[in-house]
Amino acid sequence: MMVEKQIDCALQKLVRFEKMLEQRIFERVDELEIQMYPTMERLHEIPSPEKFGPCEKGNQWGGEGAYCWVRGTYTVPQKLDGKDLYIYPHMGYYEGLLWVDGKPYGNFASKLGNHYCNLIMAKARAGQKIELAIEFYAGHYIPGSWYEKEEKPDFLYQVEGIDICVKNQEILDYALDLKALNQMAEVMNKNSFRRADIVNTLLKVHQMVPYDIDNAEPGEFEESMRQAETLMKEKLALHNSPSAPYAGLIGHSHMDTAWLWTIAETEKKCARTYSNQISLMDQYPEYTFIQSSAFHNEMLRRDYPALFADIQKKVAEGRYEPNGGVWIECDCNITSGESMVRQFLWGQRFTKKYFDYTSDTFWLPDTFGYSVSIPQIMKECGIKYFLTTKMAWNDTNDFPYETFYWKGLDGSKVFAHLNKMQGAPDPKELISYVEFNPGGYVYNGGEIKEKQVSNMRLISYGAGDGGGGPEFEMIEMSRRVADLEGVPRSSHTTVSKFMQQLEATVQDPTVYTGELYLEKHRGTLTNQHTIKRNNRKAEFALHNLEFATVV
């Protein structure tokens, strides 16, 4: 029998092999002929055709804050009849927005997310013409930020072409099956019989794998893949017991409205990210997504009406959840109570008017602490549930609860839950965020601490701030781990449904009274006197404006 060090070496080789497989998921079958239009202007629709000029491989585009539009018409050849077609640009970019037949339908992200190849047409028909355009953004410099690891770049990129691709589902399944078992072997208890069985299977796969795929004998890679898949799927077919813990899954993309970019660029990030959710919902019927700030939808309603109409349809289907309660994810420390009331008033009015939806949740993952007055304001505004991730960021004392009742200054109580945000619904994160996190595999808190209170946790996954939200591979992985022995049970849900289920099953939760004080980001609010003063002056002015309108 191999010793543990030998086993670890073999498993690490399989992890590297998993990365090699990911590079083979999409197969190039054609190339899109394109024209290009570089500009510094922020546009909200495809430019007119006369603005586009020739585009050849080797052309350069970019500059800080620059955009580059490309367009082309793809006629589906007979050989691709009935295939799902994808577009894979090799242009260099920071972020990008895909347009299909005149509508936003996907995003590209190279830094925060990994969205590189997007669906353009499912079951394409021979002779069908697909009108394609992409707006690429070169990026901008953010001095002093963790975003920037090097000296200021020139933001110049080179055109290398745009491929039309098909997805090799067999290789995708192979890569994700291998990833699931690799992660289980990594994070499960080393004394577990289930882990030992998985390790034995992976060692057999290790002996089958031709690690030098390009130089393998003809058919060797495919034959070994099918043999390995037979072994792995046998282990992935084992189900949980009814008492296994549960993770509710929902896609999310936390969007800071004004952080390291302008509000105008935030609108672009919203269009890119939220159009991608429409595409993912078309591909995966079980997929759900939460968007929390009504203001972001207002920007799309104003400047991207076709995308906004698609969002309205998905809301009506119950899959796109506009459930945050407020106009924008707001500060709760220097703002006045009346200002917070207006947040709920305007947020609820918008979602009711445009989506016929009334929020029951205050979704606020990234504010630096939470005032004791919030439960009272929530209750008076008809909001029942409070969700945040931030209290797990404490740098001094661990916040001890995940699911509890939060009691405010006047005695009002709301049901609260510390969900997890970003990341992925894979074995490593589901085990670490729900069951146990012995190796510190995840940051900002780990597993559920009060296991007697509840065995449920909400996982809102996907890259934020322009990263495009969930990647398609994440949804594919969620299908594998939905009921997999050794991993918490999981399924896609909505925040509202999850919180209702959680409150109905919770056992003797703690009642926490007072401010939710965040032990992090200290000094952020006290050292910005000008911002605090101007905020208060603006609140006085808005009060006077409201008064004047009713006199």
Side-chain angles (χ1 to χ4, degrees), residues 109-115 463-464 466-469 471:
S110 65
K111 199 159 191 177
L112 285 176
N114 186 33
H115 299 270
E471 299 155 19

Side-chain angles (χ1 to χ4, degrees), residues 501-522:
Q501 182 183 357
L502 179 62
E503 189 171 27
T505 58
V506 72
Q507 298 289 318
D508 193 23
T510 297
V511 177
Y512 181 92
T513 303
E515 175 188 7
L516 291 174
Y517 176 73
L518 178 68
E519 297 174 351
K520 197 175 179 69
H521 304 312
R522 295 174 179 86

Side-chain angles (χ1 to χ4, degrees), residues 299-359:
M299 290 193 288
L300 301 184
R301 185 193 69 82
R302 183 181 62 214
D303 289 327
Y304 295 91
L307 173 56
F308 186 74
D310 284 341
I311 291 174
Q312 287 178 306
K313 293 176 185 175
K314 298 303 183 185
V315 172
E317 293 173 8
R319 300 171 61 202
Y320 195 110
E321 187 179 16
N323 192 5
V326 286
W327 182 244
I328 193 170
E329 291 180 13
C330 54
D331 174 66
C332 300
N333 294 288
I334 65 173
T335 188
S336 68
E338 281 298 322
S339 293
M340 284 202 65
V341 170
R342 297 309 186 276
Q343 287 281 351
F344 287 107
L345 177 65
W346 286 95
Q348 294 282 48
R349 278 182 176 176
F350 184 91
T351 55
K352 183 63 178 176
K353 179 177 180 179
Y354 292 105
F355 300 126
D356 193 25
Y357 183 92
T358 301
S359 297

Side-chain angles (χ1 to χ4, degrees), residues 22 31 43-44 52 64 77 97 99 109 112 116 164 172 214 227 234 250 271 324-326 352 371 454 496 511:
E22 290 172 359
E31 188 171 3
L43 303 173
H44 301 113
F52 288 83
E64 185 173 8
L97 174 61
W99 298 69
L112 285 176
Y116 59 95
I164 302 297
L172 174 63
D214 292 329
Q227 291 175 351
E234 180 181 333
I250 189 165
V326 286
K352 183 63 178 176
S371 165
S454 177
S496 181
V511 177

Side-chain angles (χ1 to χ4, degrees), residues 87-368:
I87 189 167
Y88 194 153
H90 304 279
M91 295 275 298
Y93 53 82
Y94 178 71
E95 292 174 13
L97 174 61
L98 170 66
W99 298 69
V100 178
D101 291 333
K103 293 170 61 174
Y105 198 61
N107 79 299
F108 298 98
S110 65
K111 199 159 191 177
L112 285 176
N114 186 33
H115 299 270
Y116 59 95
C117 190
N118 285 331
L119 179 74
I120 56 173
M121 189 62 61
K123 295 181 174 57
R125 303 184 308 275
Q128 182 179 7
K129 293 184 182 298
I130 309 171
E131 297 296 333
L132 299 168
I134 305 175
E135 179 195 40
F136 293 110
Y137 178 53
H140 58 276
Y141 189 54
I142 309 169
S145 168
W146 61 269
Y147 271 49
E148 302 296 346
K149 306 298 185 186
E150 306 168 352
E151 294 183 5
K152 184 176 180 178
D154 58 15
F155 297 99
L156 295 176
Y157 303 96
Q158 185 168 297
V159 176
E160 297 178 5
I162 294 182
D163 292 341
I164 302 297
C165 300
V166 295
K167 184 195 293 180
N168 188 321
Q169 189 67 41
E170 191 174 21
I171 290 181
L172 174 63
D173 290 341
Y174 187 23
L176 292 179
D177 289 348
L178 181 58
K179 182 175 184 177
L181 293 180
N182 278 336
Q183 288 194 356
M184 292 176 74
E186 180 183 3
V187 301
M188 291 182 74
N189 189 317
K190 291 194 184 302
N191 291 320
S192 161
F193 286 106
R194 169 69 163 151
R195 179 186 181 272
D197 191 32
I198 289 171
V199 168
N200 285 337
T201 298
L202 289 172
L203 292 177
K204 292 176 184 177
V205 172
H206 166 65
Q207 294 173 341
M208 297 175 180
V209 164
Y211 282 101
D212 189 357
I213 299 175
D214 292 329
N215 292 316
E217 295 293 326
E220 181 185 2
F221 167 69
E222 290 78 10
E223 182 180 357
S224 68
M225 173 175 64
R226 287 158 195 153
Q227 291 175 351
E229 276 285 74
T230 299
L231 294 177
M232 292 193 295
K233 287 190 181 299
E234 180 181 333
K235 304 308 173 187
L236 292 169
L238 299 178
H239 298 312
N240 268 308
S241 69
S243 63
Y246 172 73
L249 306 179
I250 189 165
H252 182 54
S253 181
H254 174 64
M255 193 70 70
D256 288 295
T257 303
W259 183 29
L260 302 177
W261 44 82
T262 63
I263 292 177
E265 186 57 29
T266 300
E267 181 176 3
K268 290 288 190 184
K269 289 176 179 287
C270 288
R272 297 169 193 140
T273 295
Y274 302 149
S275 67
N276 190 52
Q277 310 318 310
I278 304 301
S279 175
L280 290 175
M281 287 180 182
D282 288 345
Q283 297 174 64
Y284 299 95
E286 73 274 26
Y287 177 62
T288 55
F289 181 81
I290 178 170
Q291 181 193 340
S292 58
S293 295
F295 174 58
H296 294 165
N297 270 322
E298 168 60 12
M299 290 193 288
L300 301 184
R301 185 193 69 82
R302 183 181 62 214
D303 289 327
Y304 295 91
L307 173 56
F308 186 74
D310 284 341
I311 291 174
Q312 287 178 306
K313 293 176 185 175
K314 298 303 183 185
V315 172
E317 293 173 8
R319 300 171 61 202
Y320 195 110
E321 187 179 16
N323 192 5
V326 286
W327 182 244
I328 193 170
E329 291 180 13
C330 54
D331 174 66
C332 300
N333 294 288
I334 65 173
T335 188
S336 68
E338 281 298 322
S339 293
M340 284 202 65
V341 170
R342 297 309 186 276
Q343 287 281 351
F344 287 107
L345 177 65
W346 286 95
Q348 294 282 48
R349 278 182 176 176
F350 184 91
T351 55
K352 183 63 178 176
K353 179 177 180 179
Y354 292 105
F355 300 126
D356 193 25
Y357 183 92
T358 301
S359 297
D360 61 7
T361 298
F362 187 17
W363 179 275
L364 199 61
D366 197 24
T367 290
F368 301 169

